Amino acid sequence: MEKKLIHGETLGELEGAVVAMGQPKFRAKQVADWLYKKRACSWAEMTNLPVEFREKLEDEYVFCSTVPIKIHKSQDTTRKYLMQLGDGSLVETVSLWAPDVEDETGFGRVTVCLSTQVGCAYGCNFCASGLSGFKRNLEAGEIVDQLLTVATDIEKESGKTDRFPIDNIVVMGMGEPLANYQNLIQALTIINSDWGLRFGARRITVSTSGLVPEIEKLADEKIQFRLAISLHGTTNEVRNQIMPINRKYPLEKLFPAIKQYSEKRGRMITLEYILIRDLNDSLSQAQQLAKIAHYLHAHVNLIPCNKVESLSWIAPMPAVQKQFIGFLKSANVSATIRLEKGDPIAAACGQLSFKTKVG
Ligand code: SF4
């Protein structure tokens, strides 16, 4: 029997499993407490569970499915973790650490960017993750384990274990999260629930290239995540050149789904917009983007294009970037330009790639 991943199980599933092992149902809550409240690193630590029960758990479950075989550290405090999964596949998880932002630990704010697939089938033209195609979906436990592995590393570094050390989660690493919908929701449920990590949904952002049916589904989920859309073009003509998904779900289909999401949730969404020289950085595109942002009640996050090996696109000159954001602000659009962290280790948006060399 193939082992399951313990961090991919909901409390209900754990209850079913412990009863099948001949244990009372309350043992499931004890296991969940060890996994998420006490953050045990091994079965042996679960000392209030009978030894034979722990042995059964070990026979049936993998404790941790992500092994950080390499951690690239950037001078700007970004870390890129090359995670090896049980079948040898590699994904990358990134932590963005802002030590200058005060928080209650005095350690600074930490955002973790999670991957949801090995590779990606969507082939956005600015993105390294899609270059080698799609391999497989991550299981829910593999998504949760990325987070726990990074949290443990940060605790080791800071020496502080008094609270969970991660402040924000963005699901925008390798893969299209909404193409792995069920495992994504299961993982985020475990991360968010009271019996799990109790991580607030408002601090979790799910980013998508624009899968319309799944955006509609997400709007009806119980947990209220934040939503970010990779827009990158304000007309179908431009967006088609950047994101092949636009041919399937063009803007006239995408916008109503986003609008419905933000109306149902009653909160602002984010439009990600990679600025690419001579492609989407003109003043007329800025004007169009301002109209779209007002219509969708959206914040705009501008990201000067990062260099990706094998791609020729580059960021506009700083003066053009300044003019672009200046126009948005003058049109009363909530907009920021992302100060990229992680560029020196290829960990910024669109640069994650499982072609990363080990060693
Ligand atoms: S941006 Fe996202 S959806 Fe597009 S290719 Fe990269 S990982 Fe896939």
Side-chain angles (χ1 to χ4, degrees):
M1 185 183 69
E2 204 175 314
K3 287 189 181 186
K4 294 205 263 181
L5 309 183
I6 193 75
H7 291 116
E9 301 281 90
T10 62
L11 185 61
E13 287 165 342
L14 283 176
E15 284 170 350
V18 303
V19 170
M21 289 177 197
Q23 294 290 322
K25 203 166 143 187
F26 72 84
R27 293 269 184 236
K29 181 68 174 48
Q30 286 181 311
V31 172
D33 282 351
W34 278 111
L35 294 174
Y36 302 110
K37 304 277 179 296
K38 299 174 199 160
R39 303 253 320 283
C41 292
S42 68
W43 305 110
E45 281 177 52
M46 302 182 175
T47 45
N48 62 349
L49 304 180
V51 174
E52 66 279 10
F53 174 46
R54 278 186 260 158
E55 285 170 355
K56 274 195 181 163
L57 286 170
E58 194 166 359
D59 283 346
E60 292 195 16
Y61 289 102
V62 172
F63 198 90
C64 182
S65 59
T66 50
V67 180
I69 56 173
K70 185 144 189 160
I71 304 175
H72 300 261
K73 295 181 188 177
S74 165
Q75 278 173 354
D76 69 6
T77 70
T78 301
R79 289 178 178 204
K80 183 167 73 167
Y81 301 78
L82 187 63
M83 303 281 195
Q84 187 163 45
L85 308 176
D87 64 353
S89 295
L90 300 174
V91 291
E92 288 165 351
T93 312
V94 176
S95 69
L96 304 150
W97 177 20
D100 44 329
V101 178
E102 296 237 338
D103 70 353
E104 63 213 50
T105 64
F107 184 64
R109 184 174 298 158
V110 179
T111 299
V112 170
C113 177
L114 300 176
S115 290
T116 50
Q117 299 184 311
V118 182
C120 183
Y122 288 82
C124 303
N125 287 329
F126 58 86
C127 176
S129 295
L131 287 178
S132 300
F134 170 73
K135 252 179 111 181
R136 72 169 173 87
N137 281 329
L138 295 199
E139 292 180 40
E142 291 171 326
I143 299 170
V144 176
D145 277 336
Q146 289 174 65
L147 183 68
L148 293 172
T149 300
V150 173
T152 302
D153 181 60
I154 287 169
E155 283 169 347
K156 225 191 285 166
E157 178 85 4
S158 67
K160 293 180 181 168
T161 53
D162 47 336
R163 63 153 207 152
F164 194 62
I166 291 161
D167 302 278
N168 296 296
I169 296 170
V170 292
V171 191
M172 52 176 79
M174 185 182 287
E176 163 53 64
L178 297 189
N180 186 11
Y181 193 89
Q182 219 180 322
N183 289 329
L184 172 78
I185 298 299
Q186 171 111 345
L188 295 183
T189 300
I190 293 165
I191 289 168
N192 170 256
S193 62
D194 280 349
W195 55 264
L197 283 171
R198 299 191 70 171
F199 197 98
R202 280 161 193 258
R203 295 187 288 134
I204 301 173
T205 302
V206 175
S207 174
T208 177
S209 59
L211 273 55
V212 166
E214 285 75 16
I215 293 171
E216 289 167 354
K217 227 158 115 184
L218 200 65
D220 292 324
E221 289 293 340
K222 266 192 268 156
I223 309 172
Q224 306 224 346
F225 313 113
R226 290 185 179 278
L227 181 67
I229 305 286
S230 293
L231 185 66
H232 310 318
T234 58
T235 61
N236 285 327
E237 194 199 344
V238 172
R239 197 166 187 259
N240 282 344
Q241 293 176 59
I242 303 170
M243 308 186 72
I245 187 71
N246 196 66
R247 294 182 192 277
K248 188 166 183 189
Y249 301 119
L251 298 177
E252 59 275 18
K253 288 189 179 164
L254 179 60
F255 289 160
I258 302 173
K259 182 101 179 142
Q260 187 192 41
Y261 185 95
S262 70
E263 281 173 2
K264 277 194 183 168
R265 295 308 204 189
R267 86 166 45 138
M268 222 174 199
I269 60 119
T270 298
L271 298 174
E272 305 282 350
Y273 194 92
I274 289 188
L275 278 169
I276 305 168
R277 190 181 295 184
D278 299 331
L279 183 63
N280 66 0
D281 61 345
S282 68
L283 200 56
S284 67
Q285 297 253 358
Q287 286 166 341
Q288 188 60 20
L289 183 55
K291 278 191 208 154
I292 293 168
H294 284 304
Y295 170 67
L296 295 175
H297 185 49
H299 171 83
V300 174
N301 191 22
L302 298 173
I303 310 148
C305 183
N306 288 303
K307 267 190 246 122
V308 175
E309 201 191 329
S310 83
L311 297 177
S312 58
W313 287 340
I314 53 170
M317 297 296 281
V320 177
Q321 297 177 24
K322 214 170 145 193
Q323 201 181 22
F324 199 97
I325 191 165
F327 178 83
L328 292 180
K329 290 198 165 165
S330 70
N332 290 322
V333 173
S334 163
T336 42
I337 188 153
R338 193 192 291 176
L339 175 65
E340 281 295 350
K341 283 181 173 282
D343 193 52
I345 57 167
C349 180
Q351 293 186 316
L352 299 189
S353 163
F354 68 110
K355 289 172 81 184
T356 304
K357 293 191 174 53
V358 183

